Amino acid sequence: MNAIDEITDSFSRLPGIGKKSAGRIAAFLLKADPAFMQRFANQIASLQERIHPCSICGAWTEADPCPICQDAGRDRTTICVVEQPQDVTIIDSCHDYKGLFHVLGGVIAPLEGVSPDSLRIKELLERVEKEQIQEVILAMNPNVEGDTTALYIQSLLKSNPCKVTRLASGLPVGGDLEYIDRLTLARSFMGRSGF
Ligand SMILES: [Zn+2]
């Protein structure tokens, strides 16, 4: 294998990139500006070192706590619960939501060996209690695992006086937060409903 084959093989392992696209990226890089190449290489090499999960909400961050958890201007009585750190970025960029976040790190999926204990559910309950949260918005993806997880968390919060809501069903069923346009996301926030 030469260097082009090797890097093509590496790119083809990235999500959403097939062999053909991987070859095109390799060809692009071969002719790219050396300064860009250096910066890009450094970014990849230092990514895992620079980014860590926030010790409070679990979002990806360089500073701990993350800028959202540190932001005094946010509504600190509302927590939006999401599956993955990248969901925080998506929801935060739609600007209609000004509260806090909590990343679960996945959804309950017994067949894949994901039990409630392996998610950050205990941490969520502690935050709701300690930070006197008034509304918990469950923003899991609208599929079987997401619904199961939402119902499970809702049952755990029954004894807490906080309001528990789920994003409105304007979200496409079986869809993924990552692929929802901002308008749909904003509408689903406005139309969120209680259990
Ligand atoms: Zn945080």
Side-chain angles (χ1 to χ4, degrees):
M1 249 204 225
N2 67 24
I4 273 280
D5 295 335
E6 279 177 21
I7 201 151
T8 302
D9 182 59
S10 294
F11 279 122
S12 68
R13 293 185 199 193
L14 302 179
I17 298 187
K19 270 258 177 275
K20 221 170 169 178
S21 303
R24 274 204 295 271
I25 296 170
F28 165 81
L29 292 179
L30 200 55
K31 289 182 278 180
D33 170 33
F36 165 78
M37 288 292 281
Q38 195 57 56
R39 207 167 57 240
F40 186 39
N42 290 343
Q43 286 163 349
I44 291 175
S46 64
L47 183 65
Q48 294 181 333
E49 205 177 292
R50 286 168 63 188
I51 300 289
H52 298 281
C54 170
S55 57
I56 298 173
C57 72
W60 284 322
T61 179
E62 289 196 34
D64 191 28
C66 74
I68 293 176
C69 287
Q70 287 195 57
D71 186 350
R74 297 190 78 107
D75 168 13
R76 308 194 74 85
T77 65
T78 308
I79 288 187
C80 177
V81 182
V82 296
E83 294 180 19
Q84 302 294 348
Q86 56 267 44
D87 298 335
V88 173
T89 316
I90 296 165
I91 292 176
D92 199 46
S93 66
C94 85
H95 300 300
D96 287 295
Y97 178 67
K98 292 277 170 243
L100 304 173
F101 287 94
H102 190 87
V103 179
L104 291 177
V107 275
I108 301 169
L111 292 178
E112 287 155 47
V114 186
S115 69
D117 294 344
S118 51
L119 303 172
R120 299 177 67 251
I121 293 177
K122 187 166 67 77
E123 289 86 340
L124 172 68
L125 301 179
E126 282 169 10
R127 284 185 72 189
V128 172
E129 192 77 39
K130 216 170 71 195
E131 298 173 31
Q132 295 172 343
I133 299 301
Q134 284 163 24
E135 181 176 359
V136 175
I137 303 169
L138 301 172
M140 276 67 84
N141 287 315
N143 52 34
V144 177
E145 290 85 5
D147 291 343
T148 306
T149 310
L151 282 171
Y152 180 73
I153 293 175
Q154 187 249 345
S155 71
L156 294 178
L157 286 170
K158 266 211 171 108
S159 56
N160 192 292
C162 73
K163 189 161 94 174
V164 182
T165 54
R166 182 97 163 94
L167 282 195
S169 51
L171 299 182
V173 174
D176 204 298
L177 269 188
E178 217 173 320
Y179 301 111
I180 292 161
D181 67 86
R182 286 175 186 194
L183 186 64
T184 310
L185 192 58
R187 280 195 191 126
S188 76
F189 259 97
M190 287 186 293
R192 64 190 186 259
S193 53
F195 278 86

